[in-house]
Amino acid sequence: MDELEEELSLRASTGFHWQRSKVREVLSLLQRDPVDIQALRQHATSRGGLLYARVRKKAWPKLLGVNVHSLKDYQGPSLSTHKDRAQVMLDVNRCGKRLPKSAVGE
């Protein structure tokens, strides 16, 4: 069982059966060739959207008509040398300290 299946099993045991069903339907759509874009779009715009980052990562290229196998690695500027990096890091760390303990790690 992969991580997504484990997560779905946990959520199903806590009353989120509709999520498990929806993810399975979306993953089934993504395995078809060609992908039914209209059906995929309906799932994306319905309750819960595409639910999980792992599902969105697979679905969005199809929705956008992008062939991920023909993409080249991003060769943009390095963010580690950006002039505002230090200030952004300070802001992120400061904001992170203000989060409630229940939000940390989610």
Side-chain angles (χ1 to χ4, degrees):
M1 184 182 301
D2 70 2
E3 289 179 32
L4 185 57
E5 277 295 319
E6 288 177 24
E7 190 171 339
L8 290 172
S9 293
L10 175 66
R11 289 182 182 267
S13 68
T14 56
F16 292 93
H17 297 283
W18 66 271
Q19 289 181 350
R20 176 180 234 170
S21 174
K22 184 173 186 175
V23 167
R24 285 201 170 128
E25 289 173 24
V26 170
L27 292 176
S28 175
L29 283 170
L30 290 169
Q31 291 175 351
R32 296 181 188 157
D33 189 25
V35 172
D36 183 346
I37 299 298
Q38 197 61 23
L40 188 58
R41 187 176 292 133
Q42 287 175 332
H43 280 289
T45 58
S46 65
R47 176 184 177 202
L50 294 170
L51 295 170
Y52 300 101
R54 285 170 275 194
V55 176
R56 289 189 294 273
K57 186 177 179 179
K58 294 177 182 181
W60 270 107
K62 299 292 185 183
L63 289 167
L64 297 172
V66 173
N67 180 352
V68 296
H69 302 292
S70 67
L71 295 176
K72 296 179 181 174
D73 287 337
Y74 177 69
Q75 298 295 323
S78 171
L79 295 179
S80 63
T81 59
H82 192 278
K83 68 180 183 72
D84 295 326
R85 182 180 189 281
Q87 184 61 49
V88 170
M89 295 304 295
L90 289 171
D91 293 345
V92 168
N93 291 333
R94 183 175 51 247
C95 291
K97 292 177 184 172
R98 293 183 179 168
L99 290 173
K101 294 207 184 289
S102 62
V104 176
E106 290 183 349

